[in-house]
Amino acid sequence: MHAMAESSSHRPALAHHASGSETTALTHHPSSSTKHPRDARPEHPPASRSQIETKYMNMLLALDDIPRLHNMLASFFTWILLAGFVLFPGTFTSLRNSQAGIGSSEVGKHVLDAVAHVPLFVIAFLCCGIGAAGMCYLWWKWMYNYVWLVNKIFLPGFLNSLAGLISTIANIYGVQNGEFSRTGKITIIVTAVSTGICGFLTLYYSLWKIRRVKRKHDQEVGKERAGRHGEGIVEQMKRKAAEKEPVARVI
């Protein structure tokens, strides 16, 4: 009986000790609320190459955001500039008309220097003026997008001006038999100046402005190639391994 009483007297103590152990275990059990703030935050992966913003990439992405109206105006202004250059040779006095002054070289010279079609001459000047003014406005409007300026303004303007210069020279030697009249000289000067300006701006923006931002883009992202079918490939950079940060193990 004494043993049974002794054992029964020790049971509550053991039970209390057991419940205390459970309470201690529950108290020290790690939960989501007691995690370290550093472990609770989600780890964000490092930015990939495609997520790096560069000036060159921003220019390429901005091409889609330029209004379609301005793209159409760029084509119109460069085309009307060419139209003016094409109309100029139509104002030249032909060699047949200049022969009306035979017997008087002074009269023949005046006939050769005269404008055959004054209204056509005025229209040609208006076309050139409208085209040049529109190109200058678009140049000012999108002055920081070098890629768009070269593709839409400077390069087409250079090619159209060169075509007008060749057409003028061909008409002088074909219609006027190589005689440079006053209108012919004016036309050559206008087309040559336009060709020189557009050609210089094309080379300046292509070989200096765009090349600088493209070189910086290649250093940060990598050199981009067209690929076999134009899918676009970014070459692996030599320092790729050095740029990778080691992943720290959480103990």
Side-chain angles (χ1 to χ4, degrees):
M1 294 293 291
H2 177 71
M4 293 177 62
E6 185 178 351
S7 62
S8 61
S9 63
H10 285 288
R11 284 177 185 176
L14 294 173
H16 177 71
H17 179 70
S19 62
S21 301
E22 292 177 0
T23 306
T24 306
L26 292 173
T27 304
H28 293 284
H29 188 273
S31 60
S32 60
S33 60
T34 60
K35 283 186 177 180
H36 195 276
R38 184 177 179 182
D39 298 334
R41 292 196 304 264
E43 295 183 358
H44 298 282
S48 61
R49 297 176 186 271
S50 60
Q51 294 174 346
I52 300 177
E53 292 186 1
T54 61
K55 189 174 182 180
Y56 181 73
M57 185 180 297
N58 291 336
M59 288 183 187
L60 296 180
L61 295 176
L63 294 177
D64 297 331
D65 196 42
I66 294 178
R68 184 177 299 178
L69 176 62
H70 285 196
N71 291 321
M72 297 174 63
L73 286 176
S75 301
F76 170 75
F77 288 136
T78 53
W79 172 83
I80 200 172
L81 182 72
L82 175 62
F85 293 152
V86 171
L87 291 177
F88 268 124
T91 63
F92 296 165
T93 304
S94 64
L95 182 63
R96 182 179 302 175
N97 293 334
S98 66
Q99 291 176 352
I102 295 177
S104 176
S105 58
E106 192 70 22
V107 175
K109 183 179 179 180
H110 284 296
V111 171
L112 187 62
D113 289 340
V115 179
H117 304 283
V118 176
L120 188 62
F121 189 78
V122 174
I123 293 174
F125 255 110
L126 287 176
C127 290
C128 293
I130 293 173
M135 292 166 63
C136 290
Y137 168 75
L138 293 177
W139 180 13
W140 169 82
K141 176 66 177 178
W142 306 106
M143 64 175 66
Y144 295 118
N145 197 315
Y146 310 144
V147 178
W148 189 86
L149 290 177
V150 171
N151 294 335
K152 295 294 185 179
I153 300 296
F154 301 142
L155 184 58
F158 167 73
L159 296 176
N160 292 345
S161 300
L162 182 62
L165 180 62
I166 295 175
S167 176
T168 300
I169 295 176
N171 276 272
I172 288 176
Y173 283 95
V175 177
Q176 295 184 342
N177 198 20
E179 295 289 337
F180 286 83
S181 61
R182 184 178 303 170
T183 54
K185 293 177 182 178
I186 293 174
T187 305
I188 286 181
I189 292 173
V190 172
T191 53
V193 169
S194 179
T195 303
I197 293 175
C198 292
F200 170 77
L201 291 175
T202 300
L203 294 177
Y204 174 71
Y205 274 82
S206 299
L207 301 180
W208 177 250
K209 291 280 193 179
I210 297 179
R211 178 171 290 186
R212 287 182 61 188
V213 296
K214 182 67 166 62
R215 186 185 299 117
K216 188 175 180 180
H217 172 81
D218 293 342
Q219 292 174 355
E220 297 182 7
V221 179
K223 291 185 178 181
E224 297 183 359
R225 303 298 181 186
R228 186 175 182 181
H229 302 288
E231 66 276 10
I233 299 176
V234 179
E235 293 183 352
Q236 300 294 331
M237 300 182 67
K238 295 181 179 179
R239 60 175 185 230
K240 179 180 178 182
E243 291 180 352
K244 286 186 176 180
E245 297 181 358
V247 180
R249 294 183 178 179
V250 179
I251 299 176

